[in-house]
Amino acid sequence: MGLKGFVEGGIASIVAGCSTHPLDLIKVRMQLQGEKLHAPNPQPVQSLRPALAFHHPSATVPTTTLHVPPQVAPPLRLGGPISVGVRIFQTEGVAALFSGVSATVLRQTLYSTTRMGLYDVLKHKWTDPDSDQFPLLRKISAGLIAGAVGAAVGNPADVAMVRMQADGRLPAAQRRNYASVVDAITRMSKQEGVASLWRGSALTVNRAMIVTASQLASYDQFKEMILEKQVMNDGLGTHVTASFAAGFVAAVASNPVDVIKTRVMNMKVEPGAAPPYSGAVDCAIKTIRVEGPMALYKGFIPTVCRQGPFTVVLFVTLEQVRKILKEF
């Protein structure tokens, strides 16, 4: 308990994060689909005068008014997770599926290590010593607290990860081309100020609270139910079943906040220009107005496809690491 819980959670989180990184990248790309479907403003009407070979002072010069129709952006090619993944592979290469993996490692080291370790500390503190029970309400409360603290610590790495994953979808001239997570954080600090490292932090904290409370609490709850009803023994089958169910619950609960968080973190703020979104609420309103309410569940399939394996790898690795570290 104590420091041991942080080490166990950190190792399991890094393994899970790296192994499911391509799925997370596809999810981010899908969440940004349709973000720039706004047509530009119509061009002003132009008045054209035909050239006259011989101009007479008393001659009336005819004027022709030409209406120039607005240029409509070509429709964005939307697709499912498989087609998005194939498109990334074809246009950017297989290495693009691991864009931002250095940021993922840093994010899991900061964010997940903190939330997993703190949840473990609260779990031991709040477990009833007489009945050895950890009620569901306390599990949720522990998850909310652990998620909030972890997100606040890991937000800079989260912003860097989103930007590095999304960079390949931009035209070559507009790409940020961060060399690594250190380069991303350094350049953001210099070009946009240190505060930019905590852009979208309110959303990150909210999402982390939802994910941690739903993921960790539901895993413990599903695992207890399986063992109490003697459906399976405390082994790999129980761990996989409970973790996959926990991953699905976390995906359903967190996807809307995740979409808004991704867009706010990824927005490009030009010097002297108003940002595309003034905040989370503004981003949500604009997204729903332009793309409909179901836009908040963009990337849901890859979210489930990522949360399921991520949660399975996370908790299966965690259980194995606990067994190994028990000997020390």
Side-chain angles (χ1 to χ4, degrees):
M1 211 270 286
L3 183 60
K4 195 176 177 183
F6 287 88
V7 174
E8 293 168 348
I11 294 170
S13 299
I14 291 169
V15 171
C18 291
S19 58
T20 59
H21 183 83
L23 294 171
D24 194 45
L25 184 141
I26 291 170
K27 176 205 73 174
V28 167
R29 295 287 183 93
M30 290 187 71
Q31 288 175 339
L32 293 171
Q33 283 182 341
E35 188 181 21
K36 295 183 179 179
L37 289 179
H38 309 279
N41 293 328
Q43 294 181 9
V45 175
Q46 299 178 9
S47 296
L48 302 179
R49 186 176 67 183
L52 300 177
F54 303 99
H55 177 64
H56 193 276
S58 61
T60 303
V61 180
T63 301
T64 303
T65 302
L66 178 64
H67 294 276
V68 179
Q71 296 178 354
V72 180
L76 184 68
R77 289 190 303 163
L78 305 178
I82 295 175
S83 63
V84 170
V86 169
R87 196 181 309 147
I88 293 169
F89 175 76
Q90 290 175 338
T91 58
E92 303 171 47
V94 67
L97 293 170
F98 286 89
S99 297
V101 72
S102 60
T104 292
V105 172
L106 181 60
R107 178 178 180 267
Q108 297 301 337
T109 302
L110 298 175
Y111 159 63
S112 287
T113 299
T114 303
R115 74 179 183 118
M116 297 287 287
L118 187 54
Y119 179 84
D120 192 59
V121 169
L122 294 173
K123 180 179 178 180
H124 282 83
K125 272 186 174 289
W126 292 351
T127 297
D128 192 314
D130 300 322
S131 62
D132 200 33
Q133 292 291 314
F134 186 36
L136 179 59
L137 187 59
R138 290 186 184 180
K139 290 173 188 167
I140 294 171
S141 300
L144 292 171
I145 294 169
V149 176
V153 171
N155 200 83
D158 208 1
V159 176
M161 184 186 72
V162 167
R163 290 190 174 196
M164 292 174 77
Q165 288 177 333
D167 213 32
R169 67 186 280 273
L170 297 171
Q174 296 178 22
R175 290 179 188 172
R176 300 178 174 103
N177 294 320
Y178 296 131
S180 65
V181 64
V182 175
D183 179 48
I185 291 174
T186 303
R187 282 170 55 186
M188 276 190 284
S189 301
K190 289 180 180 177
Q191 296 170 3
E192 304 172 49
V194 176
S196 67
L197 298 176
W198 274 269
R199 180 172 293 154
S201 58
L203 285 164
T204 307
V205 169
N206 288 334
R207 178 191 176 276
M209 290 171 71
I210 293 168
V211 168
T212 306
S214 56
Q215 189 184 64
L216 301 189
S218 59
Y219 174 76
D220 280 348
Q221 194 68 21
F222 284 127
K223 183 181 172 184
E224 285 174 14
M225 288 168 57
I226 291 169
L227 295 177
E228 281 176 9
K229 296 182 186 268
Q230 298 183 335
V231 178
M232 286 183 277
N233 295 324
D234 189 4
L236 185 62
T238 298
H239 303 157
V240 171
T241 304
S243 57
F244 194 84
F248 183 80
V249 171
V252 173
S254 66
N255 204 89
V257 180
D258 201 26
V259 171
I260 303 303
K261 176 186 80 76
T262 297
R263 294 190 172 196
V264 170
M265 285 184 169
N266 187 60
M267 70 177 176
K268 205 163 190 176
V269 181
E270 301 292 343
Y277 309 117
S278 60
V281 176
D282 181 51
C283 181
I285 292 170
K286 285 179 178 175
T287 299
I288 293 170
R289 184 183 297 153
V290 175
E291 303 166 55
M294 288 310 295
L296 297 178
Y297 274 91
K298 277 190 173 180
F300 179 70
I301 299 301
T303 296
V304 172
C305 292
R306 186 259 179 187
Q307 275 286 6
F310 175 86
T311 311
V312 169
V313 175
L314 174 68
F315 286 113
V316 169
T317 305
L318 181 64
E319 298 284 1
Q320 297 307 310
V321 170
R322 280 175 177 167
K323 286 180 183 177
I324 294 169
L325 292 182
K326 257 185 186 179
E327 299 173 7
F328 294 94

